[in-house]
Each structure stands twice: as C-alpha cells, then as structure tokens.
Amino acid sequence: MKVIECKNLTKRMIGRNALNQLSFTLEGDKITGLIGRNGAGKTTLMKILAGYWHETSGEVNVFAERPFQNLNVSVNAIYVDDQMQFSHTLTLKDILKEAARFYPNWDAVLAERLFEYFSFHPRAKHDYLSKGKKSTFNMIIGLASRCKLTMFDEPTTGMDASVRKDFYRALLKDYLAHPRTILLSSHHLEEMEDLLEEIILIDEGQVVLHESMDELKEYAQGITGRAEVLEPLFAGEEVIYETRVGDHSTYAVVKSNSPVIQKAKQHGMATGPVQPNDLCIYLTAKHKGGIDDVFK
Amino acid sequence: MIIDSTSCRPIYIQIAEWMETEILNDNFKADDKVYSQYQLAEMFTINPATAAKGLNVLTDENILYGKRGLGKFVTQEAKAIIIDKRKNEKLKGLLEEVALEAGRLHVSDEELITMLHHAIEEHKGDGA
Amino acid sequence: MSLNKMDHSTVVGKQLNYKLKVNVGMFTSLVIVQVIALFLSIIGPMQGFSGMNEVEVESKSYSAYNVILFTSIWALIHAIIMTTKKDWEKSFPFVGNGRTNDLSNFLFLIGISIVAGILTILSTIMLRVYIYYFSGEYLFMTPGFVLSGQEVWTGIFIMIMHLIFMCAVGYFLGTLTRFHRLLPTLLPIILLGLLLVFSQTNSDFMMNIFQFYYQEMSATIFVLKTMLSTVILFAISLFISSRTEVRR
C-alpha cells in the first residue's frame, strides 16, 4: 500500500510557495531521509502529512486518505519535532501514561527502558528540560508510539554526539523489530546515511532527487584537474558543482554517467566518488561556487 | 567499527567484502549459514536493505546460495571464487595505475607492452 | 504493522479524560473565586442611610449577585483560555483533530459549568444562612429569601444553563481569534469599542441583547434561549476549528 502519495502538492505561505508542485510516492516499510536546506520545505511537508496543515492545491494522501484533520491519519501517524508542547500540569511520567492511552501500538516497556536509560526524572516537567533532553524525550514518544508512519523533524536538535549515536541505534533496532515507514529530516546526513534506505532531497519546495542511498553514493563523481584542460570539457555538459582550487586546478562534480568523466580520465585526471552530504549541498546550491561567489 | 561510513565506497560493498573476509578466515565454512540481513543491520547499525544488497552481491557471484525461507549459505566454491576475484581486482587496479602513470610520462602503448613483456620474462627467469 | 482504527467517540472520551487531568487548576480557581465573591458580599453590603426628624435608619442590603457575577466571569475567561493558541496547541501532541478537540472541550466546559452552577447556588444559600444568623438586630427578608426545594433545583438548573452559555460565548470569541494573528489583540479592542460606542450613542443594542436573555421571566423559555444559542455558538466554533491549521 502507498503510505504517502503527493501529486503537485503546493502550499502557499506568506507570499511564496513553501511547497511548489511537489510530487513523490513512498511505499513499503522504509527508513527515508528527508534532506534539504533550511527553508526548503521539509517541515511544511511533514506538517501537511501529519494533518496539521492543509495543502493549498494539488493532492496529498497518507494511507490513501487526505491527511488534514483526519483521525485515521492522526492515530496511525506521529510527527515529532522540538516544538512539541505538553501541559505544564503533567510530569514526564504523566505524559508517557497519556501517550499510552492514545496510541494503540504504544510499547510501555520500551518507553520505560529508554526513560531509565537516559536518566529522566519521573516528576520533571517538559517545559524545563534542556534542548537536548527535550529532543531525547520526544524521541522516546516517537519510538514507543510505533505509528505506521513515524516522522522525526530534526530529531537530534541539541543532542550531544553520544545521545545522537544512541538515538540512531535505538531507531534502527526498533525498526528491525517493528518495520514501519520512518521519515527523518536532519542536517546530519553524514551521521545517519547508513540508516537510510532512500533519501528525498527537496529544494525550494520541489523534489530534486528521490534515490536509494546506495545509488546516491554512486550518483556523481568528482574530478580534479588543471583548470585550462578540465573546464573546456564541460562545454554542453551538465555540471553539478565546480570550484577553483588554487590558481590552476578545478574541482568539479558531474553525474556518474557523464561523458566528461571518460574524457577527464583520458587526460589523466583524478576522479573519485562524492560524499552524499556534499552532493546534496551541491545539488541544492543557489550558486555554482557556493559561498566563495560572495567573496569574488 | 569495521564499516567505514566516511568512506565513499557504498556500504553494501563494504558488507560484501567483510563477509568475504569472514569466509576466507574460515569463520564460515562451506554450507554454513551466514548472517541474515537483519543481523548484519543490527551488527553494523545500517539499513537492512543495504545489508540485503551486500548479501545479494555475494549470491550473484556464487559465493552464497539461498535456501527459500532458511537464509543464505556458503557455497562449496566460495573460497576459491573470493581468492580468484581478489587477485583479479588487485591486478586490474595495479594495471590501471600503470596505464595512468604511463600516460603522464608519455610512454607509448608499444613501449609499455614491451616493458610488460620484459617484466614477465624476468619473472619467468627467476622462477626457472 | 496494520493500520489502527479509532472512532470519534473513543478519541473524544480519551481527550476528555486528558482535559480533566490537565485542567485541574480550573476547579481550584473556581473555589477561590467563590470564596472571594462570598467574602466581598459579606464585608461590603450596599449601605444606605435615610433620616427623618429624629429617626435615622441605617440599612445594609446583602446580595448574592457578586457570586453569580464572579462565577460568570470565571467561566467566560476559562473558556477563552482553552481556545488560545498555547492551550490549543497543547491539545495536539497525541491522537485527535480539531473536531474531537472541540467536542471534548465542550463536554469539559459543560461538566465544570454543572459543578460551578451547583456550587454557586450553594454559596448563595450559605450567604443567606450567614445573614440570618450574623447580620445583626433587624432582618428584613425580601421575598425569596427563604427558598423552597423546588426553587433551589430551578435555581441550580438555570445557573448551570447560564454558565454553559457563558462558556459558549467565551469559546466562540476565543475561536474567532484563531482566524488571524492580529485578532487576539484586535478583538478585545473591537468589543470594548463597540460597548463604548453603543453606550455613548444611547443605543439600546447591548441592553436589548442582555434583556433578551436575562429579563426573561419564564425559566423554560430562558433555558430554551440559552440552549439554542449555546448550540449555535458551539457549532460555529466547531466549524472554524475543523478548518484551521494547528501547530504553526
């Protein structure tokens, strides 16, 4: 069954399209990374999928139903971010108890164990937790609710390196035991890329790339060579990224099937794979040379 | 950690190579059942689909065989295939480097082949 | 993992349970408001002096209006608070939508109106008891000072309906403010402004509205009027909520 289906999904927000004719389909129990720069539309997309916001135009379906204020979506999907608010009258333990009443698949044992492991105080209040602790607590709710569609929006905000590592492992272990559709947005692609089965790269409200992680690693090649030899090779070819290194060298990124690579190799230039994280940055860069263009 | 996520080599290739090494080291013998995709995923904190892809690479190369519903097992000829493959890969890599270096030094193809012949002859002489 | 189903009534029930836990503070504030109102009624009765020749008459008239007024304001304000952005957002960490959230809020408000209504009438009875025993030498009882059982029950029922109506008004006004970011500040100004304009132009508009409900002599018709108005206000609120976005 299609878990998520978006067709020309558009969301208009204060004078611009936060989502602009965005289309993609997500099927099966996969862990998918939602990647994009700040303001690319990741949060907007997730909030629409969670049923909090409505679309301006286009079509969006979650479990084959329109998600906005839909109870079937609400009970089977959870959206976790650092803005989650809980009443100040509830202690952390109370919140877990309440969540248990609402989510049919709630795993109280898992919640309890994670709660102990991350040494939360049962009577602490959510409002007074530090940023990292809040994220960790919200993560417990996200995991223990075991919703068919689980969405984490920047789940590692404020977490230190070791908690992040714990989170990734907890997520994977729980996913292995209870496969479900997990959508993760994060700025730490390099940290979580091993977890992901596929990624959706969005930019300016549109899907730039929807690929499996393995293919992404082989999607592009970087070439380093003498500028006056390499740069003429680009004529008429698609170049993802290029920058000058020193006075004479150029580093460029092209698709793996680009004829530029063969030509560059014939000229004895070094070619090599590109890190997915870097590739995503290059693919969504507004300027080919990145921040360096500002200082020209 | 055996898996190097900062490496640009796809994780599934790294998984396949790790399995191969396990077989070379006799940790898995012929007809032994190997780790499932889920065990591998758990062991290395990687996506199970990636682990499955690694196992499939080995199945395609006849290093593993699948029994429906039971998992993947080591073939009789697994070790031989791995040794053979690694030899080829290493040789191929070395030759590519030679070709590249020859290009940089403007060594012509004929010259290079002659050099190679010499090298082989010398080696034969050593062996004899 | 298969999909779960949960019908509206189940979710409303769960949310109502949640609201009861979250809003315990409302019961405390109700008790405090009633105590303050009673206290004010006792220490500050309306004083009157009248003299004629050598005879001077000093009168104190006690009234339970304080209690009713205070409780009404309490109901109005709490209903508004429940619809404010902050409280509204906090209703959405778990399963639910605008409709279930509104329905559970209505049920909750009806519930506390019942408690508050009973408490208010009991307070006025307490006030009567106090006056009867402690007010001083001469007690002139206005008609209705001594209540019959029938009158107590009618009083409670009317008080409850009145408070539910107050909640509905508050909830409706609060819900309106979610239409636009500026409305939370604009709406009170507009309402106050309207009140001023109407009072300056000697318009009877506000008075008419008030009279329509509160000068109704028949208990049955009062109940019908407030009930119908409540249903309309809740229905409009429900309509708005099921269309507004949450967690902005």
Side-chain angles (χ1 to χ4, degrees):
Chain A
M1 190 191 66
K2 282 174 189 161
V3 179
I4 299 170
E5 194 180 16
C6 297
K7 267 188 229 152
N8 300 323
L9 176 61
T10 300
K11 175 68 180 172
R12 187 135 191 96
M13 280 169 84
I14 327 167
R16 68 186 193 102
N17 284 340
L19 298 180
N20 188 9
Q21 304 269 320
L22 177 137
S23 303
F24 76 97
T25 310
L26 214 59
E27 273 172 277
D29 298 325
K30 289 179 187 170
I31 307 181
T32 303
L34 190 60
I35 312 297
R37 319 187 130 209
N38 292 331
K42 293 171 294 192
T43 299
T44 308
L45 176 61
M46 287 202 193
K47 288 195 170 175
I48 288 175
L49 295 174
Y52 292 138
W53 294 1
H54 54 68
E55 67 277 15
T56 307
S57 67
E59 203 182 312
V60 53
N61 284 311
V62 174
F63 311 123
E65 291 183 50
R66 183 180 182 241
F68 182 62
Q69 295 225 357
N70 185 320
L71 219 49
N72 285 337
V73 172
S74 181
V75 75
N76 289 299
I78 189 165
Y79 169 76
V80 176
D81 67 350
D82 58 353
Q83 303 292 313
M84 275 180 135
Q85 299 247 13
F86 300 97
S87 172
H88 54 271
T89 51
L90 298 176
T91 64
L92 294 184
K93 262 283 155 65
D94 290 338
I95 296 173
L96 293 185
K97 269 188 221 152
E98 285 305 308
R101 289 197 311 113
F102 278 96
Y103 290 106
N105 296 344
W106 183 264
D107 186 335
V109 177
L110 176 71
E112 180 69 30
R113 285 195 176 158
L114 288 171
F115 194 84
E116 295 283 319
Y117 177 82
F118 291 108
S119 40
F120 281 103
H121 193 284
R123 286 206 308 281
K125 295 285 171 73
H126 194 264
D127 282 356
Y128 301 119
L129 293 176
S130 71
K131 219 177 189 184
K133 275 283 190 185
K134 223 176 240 180
S135 295
T136 311
F137 182 79
N138 296 349
M139 171 264 280
I140 296 179
I141 293 187
L143 285 180
S145 62
R146 293 251 169 87
C147 287
K148 175 91 177 133
L149 171 60
T150 303
M151 293 179 278
F152 287 105
D153 193 358
E154 298 291 343
T156 53
T157 307
M159 288 183 187
D160 62 42
S162 81
V163 176
R164 286 210 296 272
K165 221 169 169 185
D166 283 340
F167 165 65
Y168 298 133
R169 191 142 175 83
L171 180 77
L172 183 82
K173 288 191 87 131
D174 200 55
Y175 166 76
L176 288 173
H178 305 275
R180 53 198 191 266
T181 304
I182 296 176
L183 203 55
L184 268 173
S185 91
S186 175
H187 289 128
H188 298 279
L189 178 60
E190 72 285 358
E191 280 183 11
M192 54 173 217
E193 59 182 59
D194 301 348
L195 287 183
L196 304 177
E197 183 160 347
E198 54 178 40
I199 73 137
I200 296 173
L201 177 65
I202 65 172
D203 190 40
E204 293 182 338
Q206 284 179 317
V207 173
V208 179
L209 207 68
H210 186 178
E211 287 279 357
S212 82
M213 204 61 218
D214 295 323
E215 268 151 50
L216 187 71
K217 284 213 162 191
E218 294 166 348
Y219 183 84
Q221 293 268 320
I223 311 169
T224 318
R226 287 188 69 82
E228 71 264 26
V229 186
L230 182 55
E231 280 169 16
L233 299 178
F234 300 152
E237 301 294 341
E238 190 190 339
V239 179
I240 297 169
Y241 176 78
E242 78 174 273
T243 187
R244 279 283 180 111
V245 182
D247 288 338
H248 306 293
S249 286
T250 291
Y251 174 72
V253 175
V254 295
K255 277 193 183 173
S256 292
N257 57 12
S258 168
V260 177
I261 294 172
Q262 267 327 102
K263 289 185 204 155
K265 273 189 179 160
Q266 283 162 9
H267 283 93
M269 291 174 192
T271 61
V274 184
Q275 288 283 347
N277 198 36
D278 294 336
L279 179 60
C280 287
I281 293 170
Y282 300 153
L283 281 169
T284 55
K286 303 258 178 314
H287 307 278
K288 280 253 169 325
I291 188 75
D292 287 346
D293 285 358
V294 176
F295 295 95
K296 264 181 182 164
Chain B
M1 195 52 100
I2 302 139
I3 294 295
D4 179 9
S5 55
T6 56
S7 154
C8 285
R9 283 182 331 144
I11 305 289
Y12 72 92
I13 302 273
Q14 295 188 45
I15 289 291
E17 281 173 4
W18 179 82
M19 265 320 306
E20 284 175 2
T21 313
E22 289 289 283
I23 294 168
L24 280 184
N25 291 344
D26 281 330
N27 290 339
F28 291 102
K29 296 193 178 65
D31 292 322
D32 278 357
K33 186 176 186 286
V34 297
Y35 298 118
S36 73
Q37 62 176 107
Y38 301 104
Q39 284 171 309
L40 288 169
E42 223 259 60
M43 286 160 63
F44 297 116
T45 323
I46 55 167
N47 193 286
T50 312
K53 201 168 172 189
L55 291 176
N56 285 338
V57 167
L58 296 180
T59 316
D60 291 343
E61 290 172 358
N62 262 330
I63 293 166
L64 300 179
Y65 65 96
K67 279 189 200 168
R68 187 164 293 170
L70 290 174
K72 302 258 185 208
F73 296 82
V74 180
T75 57
Q76 293 292 336
E77 49 291 359
K79 223 169 157 175
I81 295 173
I82 297 165
I83 292 169
D84 193 47
K85 186 175 81 167
R86 292 214 171 169
K87 269 187 203 160
N88 276 333
E89 265 174 20
K90 186 144 194 208
L91 214 52
K92 221 179 131 198
L94 284 173
L95 284 174
E96 256 172 34
E97 255 176 64
V98 168
L100 208 64
E101 188 67 14
R104 277 193 208 116
L105 301 174
H106 305 291
V107 178
S108 73
D109 289 4
E110 290 80 22
E111 211 177 330
L112 186 65
I113 289 166
T114 328
M115 279 170 84
L116 190 63
H117 273 299
H118 275 300
I120 293 167
E121 289 300 316
E122 239 169 71
H123 226 267
K124 270 185 184 163
D126 283 355
Chain C
M1 212 179 277
S2 61
L3 289 178
N4 289 301
K5 283 258 170 207
M6 211 184 258
D7 52 36
H8 273 85
S9 55
T10 318
V11 178
V12 171
K14 283 177 193 290
Q15 284 197 334
L16 180 61
N17 190 321
Y18 177 74
K19 309 262 145 134
L20 283 169
K21 282 179 201 152
V22 169
N23 293 315
V24 276
M26 279 179 90
F27 293 99
T28 328
S29 71
L30 171 65
V31 172
I32 294 170
V33 161
Q34 299 247 325
V35 168
I36 293 172
L38 268 181
F39 187 66
L40 286 177
S41 295
I42 290 163
I43 60 159
M46 269 212 284
Q47 305 263 351
F49 290 97
S50 51
M52 227 184 171
N53 303 331
E54 270 85 61
V55 187
E56 249 186 20
V57 178
E58 189 192 336
S59 71
K60 285 181 181 175
S61 53
Y62 291 91
S63 150
Y65 277 136
N66 272 341
V67 186
I68 294 169
L69 186 71
F70 275 45
T71 312
S72 306
I73 294 171
W74 167 86
L76 190 73
I77 287 176
H78 268 299
I80 293 174
I81 288 175
M82 284 188 91
T83 63
T84 55
K85 187 182 174 291
K86 223 175 153 205
D87 262 55
W88 183 258
E89 305 282 273
K90 283 178 181 168
S91 311
F92 281 90
F94 307 122
V95 180
N97 60 16
R99 193 190 300 168
T100 59
N101 192 44
D102 264 1
L103 288 173
S104 61
N105 278 346
F106 298 160
L107 289 176
F108 176 78
L109 288 172
I110 289 170
I112 58 159
S113 294
I114 291 171
V115 175
I118 295 170
L119 218 58
T120 307
I121 300 302
L122 291 180
S123 293
T124 64
I125 293 173
M126 260 175 68
L127 187 65
R128 283 164 222 262
V129 172
Y130 170 84
I131 295 163
Y132 189 81
Y133 287 108
F134 303 104
S135 66
E137 305 90 89
Y138 301 102
L139 177 67
F140 293 96
M141 291 181 279
T142 49
F145 184 85
V146 178
L147 296 170
S148 69
Q150 169 78 34
E151 279 169 324
V152 170
W153 287 116
T154 317
I156 286 177
F157 190 62
I158 286 175
M159 190 64 204
I160 290 170
M161 279 319 297
H162 159 69
L163 288 175
I164 292 175
F165 177 54
M166 282 288 119
C167 287
V169 171
Y171 203 87
F172 170 71
L173 291 177
T175 305
L176 277 186
T177 63
R178 280 210 309 276
F179 256 133
H180 197 272
R181 236 151 2 98
L182 287 176
L183 278 174
T185 28
L186 275 181
L187 203 66
I189 297 170
I190 292 171
L191 285 178
L192 272 175
L194 279 179
L195 264 175
L196 275 174
V197 169
F198 281 128
S199 64
Q200 271 174 1
T201 54
N202 285 325
S203 161
D204 290 337
F205 182 69
M206 287 288 172
M207 211 53 214
N208 285 343
I209 293 181
F210 185 80
Q211 280 170 352
F212 173 75
Y213 290 106
Y214 294 103
Q215 301 222 318
E216 178 58 57
M217 284 301 139
S218 153
T220 322
I221 294 177
F222 171 79
V223 167
L224 277 177
K225 278 178 180 174
T226 50
M227 206 182 264
L228 198 69
S229 313
T230 300
V231 168
I232 291 169
L233 290 174
F234 275 163
I236 299 173
S237 308
L238 202 62
F239 180 80
I240 295 171
S241 310
S242 61
R243 268 152 193 79
T244 40
E245 299 185 325
V246 292
R247 290 191 66 182
R248 282 227 166 241

